[in-house]
Amino acid sequence: MTVNLTYSNQYVSYTREELIKKVAIQMSDKRFQHVLRVEEKALELAHLYKVDLEKASIAALTHDYAKERSDDEMIDWIKSHDFDLELIEYGNAIWHGIVGASVVRKELGITDEEILKAIEYHTTGASQMSQLAKVIYVADYVEEGRTFPVVNEARQIAKKDLDEAVAFETKHTLLFLIQKNARIYPKTIETYNTWVVNK
Amino acid sequence: MTVNLTYSNQYVSYTREELIKKVAIQMSDKRFQHVLRVEEKALELAHLYKVDLEKASIAALTHDYAKERSDDEMIDWIKSHDFDLELIEYGNAIWHGIVGASVVRKELGITDEEILKAIEYHTTGASQMSQLAKVIYVADYVEEGRTFPVVNEARQIAKKDLDEAVAFETKHTLLFLIQKNARIYPKTIETYNTWVVNK
């Protein structure tokens, strides 16, 4: 897909092409291709659910910006930026969203709170999510490179009902984590209790 | 099984037979039979893992003491006894352990903290559990009346390794709750992160 999107200068002081370059140098080509696919899916969902396309593009392109930082750098960041120190227990899978939003704010100069929250919540979800945050959360789960067993079902739901897609993703991510005995970030349960229970 | 156990007067001021009568009048016969089976299993596990048999008997007999109280009474109790008001969201499945321990303390005059914690944690578990608390948690799950799919596997594990039985129960309870979209009490995730992760 060729994305034809001209940024307004409202959220970042550079063009989409310049942002893409800033993102590309932060990560492996494999991850960068994933980021481009998340942007593609996020724009598709943003169009469908009437979410600002420029914000969707920026949040998608930056959602994994800090994912390849070293554990040491992330732990330093947590200690020096007023995060709950318990976060240190959780590892990069959790840090790269929550800490990543803070890195994006500082290094890319992005200050729009809705974009930063979408980055922050893209792995764990949250009990309160904007439509933009839901789009990024779901786009990351169903982008066309994903191949896990329920991804086609998730893609179908994503086209029909964004909230239901959030619920489906949250439920199946939890089941996946528990089946492999992986640590669960407590906020993920707030997401589950809000979006999955009684849906 | 006939239980032949003479209480020492150290934890309750009455005999086991008197305690059984006090418990029986609080609940349906069906639940009372479950309570007796939990005591039987708890004594078996207590013997195996060298836990005080009298404490195991008292905690098992009283673990569901408050389970048939009305929602209104439980909510009044939560409001008048300095509990976190968020607890009100969770319903009797959670209340009857956490609030139940407080009811048992007041109405049965039991003050031994280890027994009360075993009652408190019998549904959700906890990151810190005494051997007694583990015995009650597991006995409630594998008592001989239980028939859910993995109960035989749980029974086998309970005979071999109490900590592993706590982990198995926590993992499978969570999977069961999530599969049916049921609300999860956040402390259950602390139990999971402590006992299941990296086991």
Side-chain angles (χ1 to χ4, degrees):
Chain A
M1 187 181 83
T2 310
V3 174
N4 202 337
L5 187 65
T6 307
Y7 284 178
S8 66
N9 220 25
Q10 209 177 337
Y11 308 112
V12 287
S13 57
Y14 28 81
T15 65
R16 176 172 171 276
E17 290 64 35
E18 285 166 338
L19 178 57
I20 285 176
K21 278 186 200 150
K22 286 175 192 287
V23 168
I25 58 169
Q26 295 291 326
M27 57 191 67
S28 66
D29 185 60
K30 189 180 166 194
R31 174 154 291 119
F32 176 61
Q33 296 305 321
H34 157 72
V35 165
L36 292 179
R37 290 193 302 267
V38 172
E39 189 204 22
E40 182 175 342
K41 184 60 75 174
L43 289 171
E44 184 188 317
L45 294 174
H47 181 75
L48 202 55
Y49 295 108
K50 303 191 176 22
V51 168
D52 187 289
L53 294 178
E54 182 175 347
K55 283 188 165 197
S57 165
I58 295 169
L61 290 174
T62 58
H63 83 283
D64 273 351
Y65 181 81
K67 193 153 183 181
E68 296 189 9
R69 301 294 168 101
S70 71
D71 285 2
D72 284 350
E73 182 178 344
M74 290 304 244
I75 290 169
D76 282 348
W77 198 282
I78 290 167
K79 288 181 178 167
S80 59
H81 286 77
D82 213 27
F83 285 97
D84 185 338
L85 292 179
E86 215 196 310
L87 195 53
I88 292 171
E89 303 296 313
Y90 286 90
N92 190 269
I94 296 299
W95 300 337
H96 83 279
I98 296 168
V99 182
S102 165
V103 177
V104 164
R105 180 196 291 271
K106 196 141 174 178
E107 297 188 5
L108 295 179
I110 294 173
T111 56
D112 182 84
E113 290 299 331
E114 198 189 11
I115 294 173
L116 294 171
K117 285 289 178 202
I119 299 167
E120 182 177 340
Y121 296 154
H122 86 268
T123 306
T124 61
S127 51
Q128 304 273 336
M129 295 170 86
S130 70
Q131 290 291 93
L132 175 66
K134 293 177 200 168
V135 160
I136 301 302
Y137 183 68
V138 172
D140 188 28
Y141 191 63
V142 304
E143 59 92 344
E144 294 299 329
R146 300 290 196 195
T147 56
F148 54 87
V150 294
V151 70
N152 280 324
E153 196 181 344
R155 286 188 187 118
Q156 295 310 312
I157 296 168
K159 282 185 204 163
K160 285 182 194 156
D161 186 322
L162 189 58
D163 286 0
E164 210 188 303
V166 168
F168 183 90
E169 172 177 349
T170 303
K171 173 174 179 161
H172 288 273
T173 300
L174 270 174
L175 289 173
F176 173 75
L177 291 172
I178 294 169
Q179 264 142 4
K180 64 173 191 166
N181 297 347
R183 188 175 293 273
I184 292 170
Y185 189 59
K187 290 231 169 186
T188 305
I189 294 301
E190 293 177 20
T191 309
Y192 169 87
N193 281 336
T194 304
W195 295 99
V196 179
V197 174
N198 301 324
K199 291 262 168 187
Chain B
M1 188 181 81
T2 310
V3 174
N4 202 337
L5 187 66
T6 307
Y7 283 179
S8 66
N9 220 24
Q10 208 176 338
Y11 307 113
V12 287
S13 58
Y14 29 80
T15 65
R16 175 171 171 276
E17 292 63 35
E18 286 166 338
L19 179 57
I20 285 176
K21 278 186 201 148
K22 287 176 191 287
V23 169
I25 58 170
Q26 293 292 326
M27 58 190 67
S28 67
D29 185 60
K30 190 180 167 193
R31 175 155 289 119
F32 177 62
Q33 296 305 323
H34 156 73
V35 165
L36 292 179
R37 290 192 302 269
V38 172
E39 189 204 23
E40 182 175 343
K41 184 59 76 176
L43 289 172
E44 183 188 317
L45 295 174
H47 182 75
L48 202 56
Y49 295 107
K50 304 191 176 18
V51 168
D52 188 288
L53 294 178
E54 182 175 347
K55 283 189 167 196
S57 165
I58 294 170
L61 290 174
T62 57
H63 83 283
D64 273 352
Y65 181 82
K67 193 152 182 180
E68 295 190 8
R69 301 294 168 100
S70 71
D71 285 2
D72 285 350
E73 182 178 345
M74 291 303 244
I75 291 169
D76 282 349
W77 198 284
I78 291 167
K79 287 181 179 166
S80 59
H81 286 76
D82 212 26
F83 285 98
D84 185 337
L85 292 178
E86 215 196 309
L87 195 53
I88 292 171
E89 303 296 315
Y90 287 91
N92 191 269
I94 296 300
W95 299 338
H96 83 278
I98 295 168
V99 182
S102 165
V103 176
V104 164
R105 179 196 291 270
K106 196 142 178 180
E107 296 188 5
L108 295 179
I110 294 173
T111 56
D112 182 86
E113 289 299 332
E114 199 189 11
I115 294 173
L116 294 171
K117 284 289 178 200
I119 300 167
E120 180 177 340
Y121 296 154
H122 85 266
T123 307
T124 61
S127 51
Q128 303 274 336
M129 295 171 85
S130 71
Q131 291 292 95
L132 176 67
K134 293 175 201 170
V135 160
I136 301 303
Y137 183 67
V138 172
D140 188 28
Y141 191 63
V142 304
E143 59 91 344
E144 294 300 329
R146 301 291 195 193
T147 56
F148 54 86
V150 294
V151 71
N152 281 323
E153 196 181 346
R155 285 187 188 120
Q156 295 309 312
I157 296 169
K159 284 184 202 164
K160 286 182 193 155
D161 187 321
L162 189 58
D163 286 1
E164 212 187 301
V166 168
F168 184 89
E169 172 177 348
T170 303
K171 175 175 178 160
H172 288 273
T173 300
L174 269 174
L175 289 173
F176 173 75
L177 290 172
I178 293 169
Q179 263 142 6
K180 64 173 192 166
N181 298 348
R183 188 175 293 273
I184 293 171
Y185 189 59
K187 290 233 168 184
T188 305
I189 293 302
E190 293 177 21
T191 309
Y192 169 87
N193 280 337
T194 304
W195 297 99
V196 180
V197 173
N198 301 323
K199 292 260 168 190

